[in-house]
Amino acid sequence: MNKHVIDIQASLYQALNQMNKHRVKFLIAADSEMRIVGTLTDGDMRRAILRGVELNELIDTAVCKEFTFVLQTAGLAEVLCAFHQPKVDFLPVLDEQGTLCNLITRRGLSAFLMRNQKFQMDADFETAEGNELEHEIFARPWGFYKTTVLNELFQSKVIYVMPGQALSLQSHMRREEYWNIIHGTGVIQLGESVHSAMPGGAFFIPKGCKHRLTNTSQTDTLIIAEVQLGDYFGEDDIFRHEDIYGRG
């Protein structure tokens, strides 16, 4: 948390140097008694410089003094409500005297909660910042998918199968899957049985069960939400029995 705190008597140059050194995008300005005066983002400093403020001038010329914060007596609902406000990406946690007690970032809170950790106002949200919610979109011959959440308990994905395409006939040894059809039409093979896939449909795929999803439409994308439960969620836990794209 200290890397985010800066003395209100510091200059814009010192603030920029601190941001660059610690690779942070905002600072919390405090007085000599550690009472919070305001916040300072990289955007605040750019706007100040564009107004003609010199780098050797005090950050007081750029600090936002009307900032969103929560008291240390607040609960989770109040914190979440504060983050619902536009452009609020971090929340200083203050005591009744206005002294900084903790700092909650949007990303840190999301990662913390997705790990199923018990919420407490004094938790270390900065350390909690991880990649639970930061995932790229991955292309596949049949379309693409994006992981939405990945932690030790589960992985969730949204899968897009392009018209006329199909996943491999595959099975998993270390995870079971739950599929919910969101959009489009197709067929799902589960073991030796075949089922129609339509919006609202739900399917359970146990460990070791051969399964395949095929988009039977020639015009619409087939979209499903997938939740995986198990002790391992890596892509190498895929055993392909058949594949129209020749993958092993």
Short mmCIF file of all heavy atoms in Angstrom, two decimals, residues 72-136:
data_model
loop_
_atom_site.label_atom_id
_atom_site.label_comp_id
_atom_site.label_asym_id
_atom_site.label_seq_id
_atom_site.Cartn_x
_atom_site.Cartn_y
_atom_site.Cartn_z
N GLN A 72 -13.64 2.16 7.19
CA GLN A 72 -13.21 0.82 7.58
C GLN A 72 -14.33 0.02 8.24
O GLN A 72 -14.22 -1.20 8.39
CB GLN A 72 -12.00 0.89 8.50
CG GLN A 72 -12.26 1.56 9.85
CD GLN A 72 -11.01 1.61 10.70
OE1 GLN A 72 -10.82 2.49 11.51
NE2 GLN A 72 -10.11 0.66 10.52
N THR A 73 -15.43 0.69 8.60
CA THR A 73 -16.58 0.00 9.18
C THR A 73 -17.55 -0.50 8.11
O THR A 73 -18.55 -1.14 8.42
CB THR A 73 -17.34 0.95 10.13
OG1 THR A 73 -17.66 2.16 9.42
CG2 THR A 73 -16.49 1.28 11.35
N ALA A 74 -17.25 -0.23 6.84
CA ALA A 74 -18.15 -0.63 5.76
C ALA A 74 -18.12 -2.14 5.56
O ALA A 74 -17.20 -2.84 6.00
CB ALA A 74 -17.77 0.09 4.47
N GLY A 75 -19.11 -2.63 4.86
CA GLY A 75 -19.17 -4.05 4.52
C GLY A 75 -19.03 -4.26 3.03
O GLY A 75 -18.87 -3.32 2.25
N LEU A 76 -19.12 -5.51 2.63
CA LEU A 76 -18.92 -5.86 1.22
C LEU A 76 -19.94 -5.18 0.32
O LEU A 76 -19.58 -4.68 -0.76
CB LEU A 76 -19.01 -7.38 1.05
CG LEU A 76 -18.91 -7.90 -0.39
CD1 LEU A 76 -17.61 -7.48 -1.04
CD2 LEU A 76 -19.06 -9.42 -0.43
N ALA A 77 -21.20 -5.13 0.74
CA ALA A 77 -22.23 -4.54 -0.11
C ALA A 77 -21.92 -3.07 -0.41
O ALA A 77 -22.09 -2.60 -1.53
CB ALA A 77 -23.60 -4.66 0.56
N GLU A 78 -21.44 -2.35 0.59
CA GLU A 78 -21.11 -0.94 0.40
C GLU A 78 -19.91 -0.77 -0.53
O GLU A 78 -19.87 0.14 -1.37
CB GLU A 78 -20.82 -0.29 1.76
CG GLU A 78 -20.69 1.22 1.70
CD GLU A 78 -20.58 1.86 3.06
OE1 GLU A 78 -20.91 1.18 4.06
OE2 GLU A 78 -20.15 3.03 3.13
N VAL A 79 -18.94 -1.67 -0.40
CA VAL A 79 -17.77 -1.62 -1.27
C VAL A 79 -18.17 -1.88 -2.72
O VAL A 79 -17.77 -1.17 -3.64
CB VAL A 79 -16.70 -2.63 -0.81
CG1 VAL A 79 -15.59 -2.76 -1.84
CG2 VAL A 79 -16.13 -2.22 0.54
N LEU A 80 -18.98 -2.91 -2.94
CA LEU A 80 -19.42 -3.24 -4.29
C LEU A 80 -20.24 -2.11 -4.89
O LEU A 80 -20.11 -1.79 -6.08
CB LEU A 80 -20.23 -4.54 -4.28
CG LEU A 80 -19.45 -5.81 -3.95
CD1 LEU A 80 -20.39 -7.00 -3.84
CD2 LEU A 80 -18.37 -6.08 -4.98
N CYS A 81 -21.07 -1.49 -4.08
CA CYS A 81 -21.88 -0.36 -4.55
C CYS A 81 -20.98 0.80 -4.99
O CYS A 81 -21.25 1.44 -6.01
CB CYS A 81 -22.83 0.09 -3.45
SG CYS A 81 -23.97 1.41 -3.94
N ALA A 82 -19.90 1.04 -4.25
CA ALA A 82 -18.99 2.13 -4.61
C ALA A 82 -18.31 1.85 -5.95
O ALA A 82 -18.13 2.76 -6.76
CB ALA A 82 -17.94 2.30 -3.51
N PHE A 83 -17.97 0.60 -6.20
CA PHE A 83 -17.32 0.25 -7.46
C PHE A 83 -18.28 0.30 -8.65
O PHE A 83 -17.85 0.29 -9.80
CB PHE A 83 -16.67 -1.13 -7.38
CG PHE A 83 -15.28 -1.11 -6.79
CD1 PHE A 83 -14.99 -1.84 -5.65
CD2 PHE A 83 -14.28 -0.36 -7.38
CE1 PHE A 83 -13.72 -1.82 -5.10
CE2 PHE A 83 -13.00 -0.33 -6.84
CZ PHE A 83 -12.73 -1.06 -5.70
N HIS A 84 -19.59 0.35 -8.37
CA HIS A 84 -20.56 0.47 -9.45
C HIS A 84 -20.57 1.87 -10.05
O HIS A 84 -21.13 2.08 -11.13
CB HIS A 84 -21.96 0.11 -8.96
CG HIS A 84 -22.12 -1.35 -8.68
ND1 HIS A 84 -23.21 -1.86 -8.00
CD2 HIS A 84 -21.33 -2.41 -8.97
CE1 HIS A 84 -23.07 -3.17 -7.89
NE2 HIS A 84 -21.95 -3.53 -8.47
N GLN A 85 -19.96 2.81 -9.36
CA GLN A 85 -19.90 4.17 -9.88
C GLN A 85 -18.93 4.23 -11.07
O GLN A 85 -17.91 3.55 -11.08
CB GLN A 85 -19.44 5.14 -8.80
CG GLN A 85 -20.35 5.21 -7.59
CD GLN A 85 -19.83 6.17 -6.55
OE1 GLN A 85 -19.55 7.33 -6.86
NE2 GLN A 85 -19.67 5.71 -5.32
N PRO A 86 -19.24 5.06 -12.05
CA PRO A 86 -18.36 5.17 -13.22
C PRO A 86 -16.95 5.62 -12.83
O PRO A 86 -16.78 6.48 -11.98
CB PRO A 86 -19.05 6.22 -14.10
CG PRO A 86 -20.48 6.22 -13.64
CD PRO A 86 -20.44 5.91 -12.18
N LYS A 87 -15.94 5.02 -13.46
CA LYS A 87 -14.54 5.41 -13.35
C LYS A 87 -13.93 5.19 -11.97
O LYS A 87 -12.85 5.72 -11.68
CB LYS A 87 -14.35 6.86 -13.77
CG LYS A 87 -14.76 7.14 -15.22
CD LYS A 87 -14.52 8.59 -15.59
CE LYS A 87 -14.93 8.86 -17.04
NZ LYS A 87 -14.71 10.26 -17.44
N VAL A 88 -14.58 4.44 -11.08
CA VAL A 88 -13.99 4.13 -9.78
C VAL A 88 -13.25 2.79 -9.90
O VAL A 88 -13.87 1.74 -10.01
CB VAL A 88 -15.06 4.05 -8.67
CG1 VAL A 88 -14.42 3.60 -7.35
CG2 VAL A 88 -15.71 5.41 -8.49
N ASP A 89 -11.92 2.85 -9.92
CA ASP A 89 -11.12 1.64 -10.05
C ASP A 89 -10.38 1.30 -8.76
O ASP A 89 -9.76 0.24 -8.68
CB ASP A 89 -10.10 1.80 -11.18
CG ASP A 89 -10.77 1.81 -12.55
OD1 ASP A 89 -11.70 1.00 -12.76
OD2 ASP A 89 -10.37 2.62 -13.41
N PHE A 90 -10.42 2.20 -7.77
CA PHE A 90 -9.79 1.92 -6.49
C PHE A 90 -10.53 2.67 -5.40
O PHE A 90 -11.16 3.71 -5.65
CB PHE A 90 -8.31 2.31 -6.50
CG PHE A 90 -8.06 3.77 -6.77
CD1 PHE A 90 -7.97 4.68 -5.73
CD2 PHE A 90 -7.91 4.24 -8.06
CE1 PHE A 90 -7.75 6.03 -5.96
CE2 PHE A 90 -7.68 5.58 -8.32
CZ PHE A 90 -7.60 6.48 -7.27
N LEU A 91 -10.47 2.13 -4.20
CA LEU A 91 -11.15 2.73 -3.05
C LEU A 91 -10.20 2.84 -1.86
O LEU A 91 -9.77 1.82 -1.31
CB LEU A 91 -12.35 1.88 -2.63
CG LEU A 91 -13.61 1.92 -3.48
CD1 LEU A 91 -14.60 0.87 -2.98
CD2 LEU A 91 -14.24 3.31 -3.42
N PRO A 92 -9.85 4.06 -1.44
CA PRO A 92 -9.15 4.20 -0.16
C PRO A 92 -10.10 3.82 0.99
O PRO A 92 -11.29 4.16 0.96
CB PRO A 92 -8.81 5.70 -0.10
CG PRO A 92 -8.94 6.18 -1.52
CD PRO A 92 -10.02 5.34 -2.13
N VAL A 93 -9.58 3.09 1.95
CA VAL A 93 -10.34 2.74 3.15
C VAL A 93 -9.84 3.64 4.28
O VAL A 93 -8.65 3.58 4.64
CB VAL A 93 -10.16 1.26 3.52
CG1 VAL A 93 -10.98 0.93 4.77
CG2 VAL A 93 -10.59 0.37 2.35
N LEU A 94 -10.73 4.47 4.82
CA LEU A 94 -10.33 5.46 5.82
C LEU A 94 -10.97 5.17 7.17
O LEU A 94 -12.06 4.60 7.25
CB LEU A 94 -10.74 6.86 5.35
CG LEU A 94 -10.36 7.28 3.93
CD1 LEU A 94 -10.80 8.72 3.67
CD2 LEU A 94 -8.86 7.12 3.71
N ASP A 95 -10.28 5.62 8.24
CA ASP A 95 -10.91 5.58 9.56
C ASP A 95 -11.67 6.89 9.77
O ASP A 95 -11.74 7.74 8.86
CB ASP A 95 -9.88 5.33 10.66
CG ASP A 95 -8.84 6.45 10.78
OD1 ASP A 95 -9.06 7.55 10.23
OD2 ASP A 95 -7.79 6.21 11.41
N GLU A 96 -12.24 7.07 10.93
CA GLU A 96 -13.08 8.26 11.18
C GLU A 96 -12.28 9.55 11.16
O GLU A 96 -12.84 10.63 10.99
CB GLU A 96 -13.80 8.10 12.52
CG GLU A 96 -14.84 6.97 12.50
CD GLU A 96 -15.57 6.87 13.81
OE1 GLU A 96 -15.20 7.58 14.77
OE2 GLU A 96 -16.54 6.07 13.90
N GLN A 97 -10.97 9.46 11.33
CA GLN A 97 -10.11 10.65 11.29
C GLN A 97 -9.60 10.96 9.88
O GLN A 97 -8.88 11.93 9.67
CB GLN A 97 -8.90 10.48 12.23
CG GLN A 97 -9.25 10.59 13.71
CD GLN A 97 -10.02 9.39 14.21
OE1 GLN A 97 -9.65 8.23 13.92
NE2 GLN A 97 -11.09 9.62 14.96
N GLY A 98 -9.99 10.13 8.91
CA GLY A 98 -9.56 10.34 7.54
C GLY A 98 -8.19 9.78 7.23
O GLY A 98 -7.59 10.12 6.21
N THR A 99 -7.70 8.89 8.11
CA THR A 99 -6.40 8.26 7.89
C THR A 99 -6.57 7.00 7.05
O THR A 99 -7.51 6.24 7.23
CB THR A 99 -5.75 7.89 9.23
OG1 THR A 99 -5.64 9.08 10.04
CG2 THR A 99 -4.37 7.29 9.03
N LEU A 100 -5.63 6.79 6.14
CA LEU A 100 -5.69 5.62 5.26
C LEU A 100 -5.42 4.34 6.04
O LEU A 100 -4.39 4.21 6.70
CB LEU A 100 -4.66 5.77 4.13
CG LEU A 100 -4.68 4.68 3.06
CD1 LEU A 100 -5.98 4.73 2.26
CD2 LEU A 100 -3.49 4.84 2.13
N CYS A 101 -6.35 3.39 5.96
CA CYS A 101 -6.22 2.11 6.65
C CYS A 101 -5.93 0.96 5.68
O CYS A 101 -5.27 -0.01 6.04
CB CYS A 101 -7.48 1.78 7.43
SG CYS A 101 -7.94 3.01 8.67
N ASN A 102 -6.47 1.08 4.50
CA ASN A 102 -6.29 0.02 3.51
C ASN A 102 -6.62 0.59 2.13
O ASN A 102 -7.09 1.73 2.01
CB ASN A 102 -7.20 -1.18 3.82
CG ASN A 102 -6.70 -2.47 3.17
OD1 ASN A 102 -5.70 -2.48 2.46
ND2 ASN A 102 -7.40 -3.56 3.40
N LEU A 103 -6.38 -0.23 1.12
CA LEU A 103 -6.65 0.18 -0.26
C LEU A 103 -7.25 -1.01 -1.00
O LEU A 103 -6.70 -2.11 -0.97
CB LEU A 103 -5.36 0.64 -0.93
CG LEU A 103 -5.47 1.19 -2.34
CD1 LEU A 103 -6.33 2.45 -2.38
CD2 LEU A 103 -4.08 1.50 -2.89
N ILE A 104 -8.39 -0.79 -1.64
CA ILE A 104 -9.05 -1.85 -2.39
C ILE A 104 -9.09 -1.46 -3.86
O ILE A 104 -9.61 -0.40 -4.21
CB ILE A 104 -10.50 -2.08 -1.88
CG1 ILE A 104 -10.52 -2.35 -0.39
CG2 ILE A 104 -11.14 -3.25 -2.64
CD1 ILE A 104 -11.93 -2.48 0.19
N THR A 105 -8.52 -2.29 -4.71
CA THR A 105 -8.61 -2.05 -6.14
C THR A 105 -9.72 -2.93 -6.72
O THR A 105 -10.05 -3.99 -6.16
CB THR A 105 -7.29 -2.38 -6.85
OG1 THR A 105 -6.99 -3.78 -6.68
CG2 THR A 105 -6.15 -1.54 -6.30
N ARG A 106 -10.28 -2.49 -7.82
CA ARG A 106 -11.35 -3.26 -8.46
C ARG A 106 -10.84 -4.66 -8.83
O ARG A 106 -11.50 -5.66 -8.58
CB ARG A 106 -11.83 -2.52 -9.71
CG ARG A 106 -12.95 -3.23 -10.47
CD ARG A 106 -13.26 -2.52 -11.77
NE ARG A 106 -13.77 -1.18 -11.55
CZ ARG A 106 -15.05 -0.90 -11.36
NH1 ARG A 106 -15.94 -1.88 -11.34
NH2 ARG A 106 -15.44 0.36 -11.18
N ARG A 107 -9.67 -4.70 -9.44
CA ARG A 107 -9.11 -5.98 -9.87
C ARG A 107 -8.78 -6.87 -8.67
O ARG A 107 -9.04 -8.08 -8.68
CB ARG A 107 -7.85 -5.73 -10.70
CG ARG A 107 -7.17 -7.00 -11.18
CD ARG A 107 -5.96 -6.69 -12.03
NE ARG A 107 -5.22 -7.88 -12.37
CZ ARG A 107 -4.10 -7.88 -13.05
NH1 ARG A 107 -3.58 -6.75 -13.48
NH2 ARG A 107 -3.48 -9.02 -13.32
N GLY A 108 -8.19 -6.26 -7.61
CA GLY A 108 -7.85 -7.04 -6.43
C GLY A 108 -9.07 -7.62 -5.74
O GLY A 108 -9.06 -8.77 -5.31
N LEU A 109 -10.14 -6.82 -5.64
CA LEU A 109 -11.36 -7.30 -5.01
C LEU A 109 -11.96 -8.44 -5.82
O LEU A 109 -12.39 -9.46 -5.25
CB LEU A 109 -12.37 -6.16 -4.87
CG LEU A 109 -13.73 -6.54 -4.29
CD1 LEU A 109 -13.59 -7.01 -2.84
CD2 LEU A 109 -14.71 -5.37 -4.38
N SER A 110 -12.02 -8.29 -7.13
CA SER A 110 -12.59 -9.33 -7.98
C SER A 110 -11.82 -10.64 -7.83
O SER A 110 -12.42 -11.71 -7.65
CB SER A 110 -12.59 -8.89 -9.44
OG SER A 110 -13.43 -7.77 -9.63
N ALA A 111 -10.49 -10.57 -7.89
CA ALA A 111 -9.68 -11.77 -7.75
C ALA A 111 -9.86 -12.38 -6.37
O ALA A 111 -9.96 -13.61 -6.22
CB ALA A 111 -8.21 -11.44 -7.99
N PHE A 112 -9.92 -11.55 -5.33
CA PHE A 112 -10.09 -12.00 -3.96
C PHE A 112 -11.40 -12.78 -3.81
O PHE A 112 -11.43 -13.87 -3.24
CB PHE A 112 -10.07 -10.79 -3.03
CG PHE A 112 -10.08 -11.12 -1.56
CD1 PHE A 112 -8.90 -11.32 -0.88
CD2 PHE A 112 -11.27 -11.20 -0.86
CE1 PHE A 112 -8.89 -11.60 0.48
CE2 PHE A 112 -11.28 -11.49 0.50
CZ PHE A 112 -10.08 -11.70 1.17
N LEU A 113 -12.48 -12.22 -4.33
CA LEU A 113 -13.79 -12.85 -4.18
C LEU A 113 -13.90 -14.12 -5.02
O LEU A 113 -14.52 -15.10 -4.61
CB LEU A 113 -14.89 -11.87 -4.56
CG LEU A 113 -15.03 -10.65 -3.64
CD1 LEU A 113 -16.13 -9.73 -4.16
CD2 LEU A 113 -15.33 -11.07 -2.20
N MET A 114 -13.29 -14.11 -6.22
CA MET A 114 -13.36 -15.29 -7.07
C MET A 114 -12.58 -16.47 -6.49
O MET A 114 -12.79 -17.61 -6.88
CB MET A 114 -12.84 -14.96 -8.47
CG MET A 114 -13.75 -14.07 -9.29
SD MET A 114 -15.41 -14.77 -9.60
CE MET A 114 -16.36 -13.88 -8.34
N ARG A 115 -11.68 -16.20 -5.54
CA ARG A 115 -10.96 -17.29 -4.86
C ARG A 115 -11.76 -17.83 -3.68
O ARG A 115 -11.27 -18.69 -2.95
CB ARG A 115 -9.62 -16.77 -4.35
CG ARG A 115 -8.64 -16.42 -5.45
CD ARG A 115 -7.37 -15.82 -4.87
NE ARG A 115 -6.47 -15.35 -5.91
CZ ARG A 115 -5.37 -14.65 -5.69
NH1 ARG A 115 -5.03 -14.35 -4.44
NH2 ARG A 115 -4.62 -14.24 -6.68
N ASN A 116 -12.95 -17.30 -3.49
CA ASN A 116 -13.83 -17.74 -2.39
C ASN A 116 -13.22 -17.45 -1.03
O ASN A 116 -13.39 -18.19 -0.07
CB ASN A 116 -14.13 -19.25 -2.51
CG ASN A 116 -15.31 -19.67 -1.65
OD1 ASN A 116 -16.27 -18.92 -1.48
ND2 ASN A 116 -15.24 -20.87 -1.09
N GLN A 117 -12.49 -16.33 -0.93
CA GLN A 117 -11.92 -15.92 0.34
C GLN A 117 -12.93 -15.05 1.11
O GLN A 117 -13.71 -14.31 0.50
CB GLN A 117 -10.62 -15.15 0.12
CG GLN A 117 -9.51 -16.01 -0.46
CD GLN A 117 -8.24 -15.23 -0.71
OE1 GLN A 117 -8.15 -14.48 -1.67
NE2 GLN A 117 -7.25 -15.41 0.16
N LYS A 118 -12.88 -15.14 2.41
CA LYS A 118 -13.80 -14.38 3.25
C LYS A 118 -13.46 -12.89 3.21
O LYS A 118 -12.31 -12.51 3.45
CB LYS A 118 -13.75 -14.88 4.69
CG LYS A 118 -14.75 -14.18 5.62
CD LYS A 118 -14.66 -14.72 7.03
CE LYS A 118 -15.63 -13.99 7.95
NZ LYS A 118 -15.55 -14.50 9.34
N PHE A 119 -14.44 -12.07 2.90
CA PHE A 119 -14.20 -10.64 2.79
C PHE A 119 -14.01 -10.00 4.15
O PHE A 119 -14.80 -10.19 5.07
CB PHE A 119 -15.37 -9.95 2.07
CG PHE A 119 -15.21 -8.45 2.00
CD1 PHE A 119 -14.43 -7.88 1.00
CD2 PHE A 119 -15.82 -7.62 2.93
CE1 PHE A 119 -14.27 -6.50 0.94
CE2 PHE A 119 -15.67 -6.25 2.87
CZ PHE A 119 -14.89 -5.69 1.87
N GLN A 120 -12.92 -9.24 4.28
CA GLN A 120 -12.66 -8.43 5.47
C GLN A 120 -12.04 -7.12 5.00
O GLN A 120 -11.24 -7.10 4.06
CB GLN A 120 -11.71 -9.15 6.44
CG GLN A 120 -12.29 -10.41 7.04
CD GLN A 120 -11.30 -11.13 7.93
OE1 GLN A 120 -10.15 -11.34 7.54
NE2 GLN A 120 -11.72 -11.51 9.12
N MET A 121 -12.38 -6.03 5.65
CA MET A 121 -11.90 -4.72 5.21
C MET A 121 -10.40 -4.57 5.34
O MET A 121 -9.79 -3.74 4.67
CB MET A 121 -12.60 -3.61 5.99
CG MET A 121 -14.07 -3.43 5.62
SD MET A 121 -14.31 -2.93 3.88
CE MET A 121 -13.74 -1.24 3.92
N ASP A 122 -9.76 -5.36 6.19
CA ASP A 122 -8.32 -5.25 6.37
C ASP A 122 -7.55 -6.31 5.57
O ASP A 122 -6.36 -6.50 5.77
CB ASP A 122 -7.94 -5.34 7.85
CG ASP A 122 -8.38 -6.66 8.49
OD1 ASP A 122 -9.09 -7.45 7.83
OD2 ASP A 122 -8.02 -6.89 9.67
N ALA A 123 -8.22 -6.98 4.65
CA ALA A 123 -7.55 -8.00 3.84
C ALA A 123 -6.52 -7.36 2.90
O ALA A 123 -6.61 -6.17 2.58
CB ALA A 123 -8.59 -8.78 3.03
N ASP A 124 -5.57 -8.15 2.46
CA ASP A 124 -4.53 -7.66 1.56
C ASP A 124 -5.01 -7.83 0.12
O ASP A 124 -4.71 -8.82 -0.55
CB ASP A 124 -3.23 -8.43 1.79
CG ASP A 124 -2.06 -7.85 1.00
OD1 ASP A 124 -2.29 -6.95 0.17
OD2 ASP A 124 -0.92 -8.30 1.22
N PHE A 125 -5.76 -6.85 -0.36
CA PHE A 125 -6.32 -6.94 -1.70
C PHE A 125 -5.26 -6.75 -2.78
O PHE A 125 -5.41 -7.24 -3.90
CB PHE A 125 -7.44 -5.90 -1.87
CG PHE A 125 -8.60 -6.13 -0.96
CD1 PHE A 125 -8.74 -5.38 0.20
CD2 PHE A 125 -9.54 -7.09 -1.24
CE1 PHE A 125 -9.82 -5.59 1.06
CE2 PHE A 125 -10.62 -7.32 -0.40
CZ PHE A 125 -10.75 -6.56 0.76
N GLU A 126 -4.20 -6.04 -2.45
CA GLU A 126 -3.16 -5.79 -3.44
C GLU A 126 -2.43 -7.09 -3.79
O GLU A 126 -2.16 -7.38 -4.96
CB GLU A 126 -2.17 -4.75 -2.91
CG GLU A 126 -1.46 -4.02 -4.01
CD GLU A 126 -0.83 -2.73 -3.51
OE1 GLU A 126 -0.73 -2.54 -2.29
OE2 GLU A 126 -0.45 -1.94 -4.36
N THR A 127 -2.14 -7.89 -2.78
CA THR A 127 -1.50 -9.19 -3.02
C THR A 127 -2.44 -10.12 -3.76
O THR A 127 -2.01 -10.98 -4.53
CB THR A 127 -1.06 -9.82 -1.69
OG1 THR A 127 -0.14 -8.95 -1.03
CG2 THR A 127 -0.38 -11.16 -1.91
N ALA A 128 -3.74 -9.92 -3.54
CA ALA A 128 -4.74 -10.80 -4.17
C ALA A 128 -4.83 -10.59 -5.66
O ALA A 128 -5.35 -11.44 -6.38
CB ALA A 128 -6.12 -10.55 -3.53
N GLU A 129 -4.33 -9.46 -6.16
CA GLU A 129 -4.45 -9.20 -7.59
C GLU A 129 -3.74 -10.31 -8.37
O GLU A 129 -2.57 -10.56 -8.21
CB GLU A 129 -3.82 -7.84 -7.95
CG GLU A 129 -4.62 -6.66 -7.43
CD GLU A 129 -4.17 -5.35 -8.06
OE1 GLU A 129 -3.39 -5.40 -9.01
OE2 GLU A 129 -4.62 -4.30 -7.58
N GLY A 130 -4.53 -10.98 -9.19
CA GLY A 130 -3.98 -12.08 -9.97
C GLY A 130 -4.59 -12.13 -11.35
O GLY A 130 -5.14 -11.14 -11.84
N ASN A 131 -4.50 -13.28 -11.98
CA ASN A 131 -5.00 -13.39 -13.35
C ASN A 131 -6.28 -14.20 -13.44
O ASN A 131 -6.61 -14.72 -14.49
CB ASN A 131 -3.92 -14.02 -14.24
CG ASN A 131 -3.59 -15.44 -13.83
OD1 ASN A 131 -4.04 -15.92 -12.79
ND2 ASN A 131 -2.79 -16.12 -14.63
N GLU A 132 -7.00 -14.31 -12.32
CA GLU A 132 -8.25 -15.07 -12.34
C GLU A 132 -9.21 -14.58 -13.42
O GLU A 132 -9.97 -15.37 -14.01
CB GLU A 132 -8.97 -14.99 -10.98
CG GLU A 132 -8.40 -15.90 -9.91
CD GLU A 132 -7.18 -15.31 -9.23
OE1 GLU A 132 -6.73 -14.24 -9.62
OE2 GLU A 132 -6.69 -15.94 -8.28
N LEU A 133 -9.20 -13.28 -13.68
CA LEU A 133 -10.16 -12.70 -14.62
C LEU A 133 -9.50 -12.18 -15.88
O LEU A 133 -10.18 -11.59 -16.72
CB LEU A 133 -10.92 -11.56 -13.93
CG LEU A 133 -11.57 -11.90 -12.60
CD1 LEU A 133 -12.19 -10.67 -11.98
CD2 LEU A 133 -12.61 -12.98 -12.77
N GLU A 134 -8.18 -12.38 -16.00
CA GLU A 134 -7.45 -11.83 -17.14
C GLU A 134 -7.07 -12.94 -18.09
O GLU A 134 -6.06 -13.61 -17.92
CB GLU A 134 -6.19 -11.09 -16.64
CG GLU A 134 -6.47 -9.96 -15.67
CD GLU A 134 -7.19 -8.80 -16.34
OE1 GLU A 134 -6.99 -8.60 -17.56
OE2 GLU A 134 -7.93 -8.10 -15.65
N HIS A 135 -7.89 -13.17 -19.10
CA HIS A 135 -7.64 -14.26 -20.03
C HIS A 135 -7.87 -13.81 -21.46
O HIS A 135 -8.82 -13.07 -21.75
CB HIS A 135 -8.53 -15.46 -19.70
CG HIS A 135 -8.33 -16.00 -18.32
ND1 HIS A 135 -7.26 -16.80 -17.98
CD2 HIS A 135 -9.05 -15.82 -17.19
CE1 HIS A 135 -7.34 -17.10 -16.69
NE2 HIS A 135 -8.41 -16.51 -16.18
N GLU A 136 -7.02 -14.28 -22.35
CA GLU A 136 -7.14 -13.95 -23.75
C GLU A 136 -8.22 -14.81 -24.41
O GLU A 136 -8.68 -15.80 -23.85
CB GLU A 136 -5.80 -14.18 -24.47
CG GLU A 136 -4.64 -13.36 -23.92
CD GLU A 136 -4.82 -11.88 -24.16
OE1 GLU A 136 -5.50 -11.52 -25.13
OE2 GLU A 136 -4.27 -11.09 -23.36
#
